[in-house]
Amino acid sequence: MSETTARPGAVLVNACLRDGRGGSPTAVLPETALSDDERRSVPGRTGASHAVFVSVHDSWPGVLDASLRFFTAEGELPACGHGTVAALAYLAEQAGVSDCEVTLRAAERVFTGRAVRQGAGYAADFDPGTVDLREPSAGELALLLGALGLQPDEVADGARVASLGRPRLLLPVTTRPMLAALTPDLGALEAACDRLGLLGCYVYSVPTAEGRTAARMFAPSIGVPEDIANANSTACLAAHLGDVTVDMGDSLGSPATITAVARPGTPGAASPQIRVGGVATVAVERVS
């Protein structure tokens, strides 16, 4: 592996900040000739959980067309919500514009995103696609609750398996303190998610009347024991409950906030139209 190939020069983007701080550090790089194994090494080398590789196609002032590929240490993902927020901020910064509309291409899906300058960063949001929801079976819940260390009476009504690229469990618990106290058996959770074909478990507290909640996303099967911010799962929650503002990352010392809004879809559509996003800042210096 050559020095040039091994160190493509990533930019760290802190995605989904809360009140100007925290967020999920995400490595964003221009598309390069790295192998998939080399791409998998980028998150660990840069201190990020995810890496996003960006290829820009046709563009003109304020409008871009770009392809995205997402990687963790375990391999490529078809989608990554906070990675998309990071890529949108990066693209706007690279283009030198304060309001940037982007046509995005990832995993054979074409969708829209936008980044608007907000103070030192960008408010970015995008269309995550259609969300499919179903109720989990009793057997699925029992297997996952055991791995999460939860008792049935600690879980509120409304658990759903939500599919957006890959299925994941949305699991409500009754209070924020209960959420904060969770200590899952990550080995057992990985085995359970692999057995059930799930990306992971997005555990959230029952929302307030205004739609404010907290959540923790456990996804050891993709090399992410816990995510600081998970925008796609938040989009899934909005498809289930309507508009939500979700606080994440407190258990990891990096507060993050994601907002998702749900609007009626086209007549006959099974899923509402979702826009999800957050605020991101782009680091000045590149990392190796």
Side-chain angles (χ1 to χ4, degrees), residues 176-196:
R176 279 198 180 210
M178 185 178 295
L179 176 73
L182 277 181
T183 55
D185 180 332
L186 292 174
L189 185 61
E190 180 177 358
C193 288
D194 288 348
R195 176 176 170 183
L196 298 173

Side-chain angles (χ1 to χ4, degrees), residues 30 35 63 68 96 99 105 121 134 146 149 157 160 195 197 228 241 267 272:
S35 69
V63 180
L68 308 178
D99 189 340
R105 306 169 190 274
R134 67 169 176 84
D157 292 335
R160 293 291 185 273
R195 176 176 170 183
I228 291 173
L241 298 180

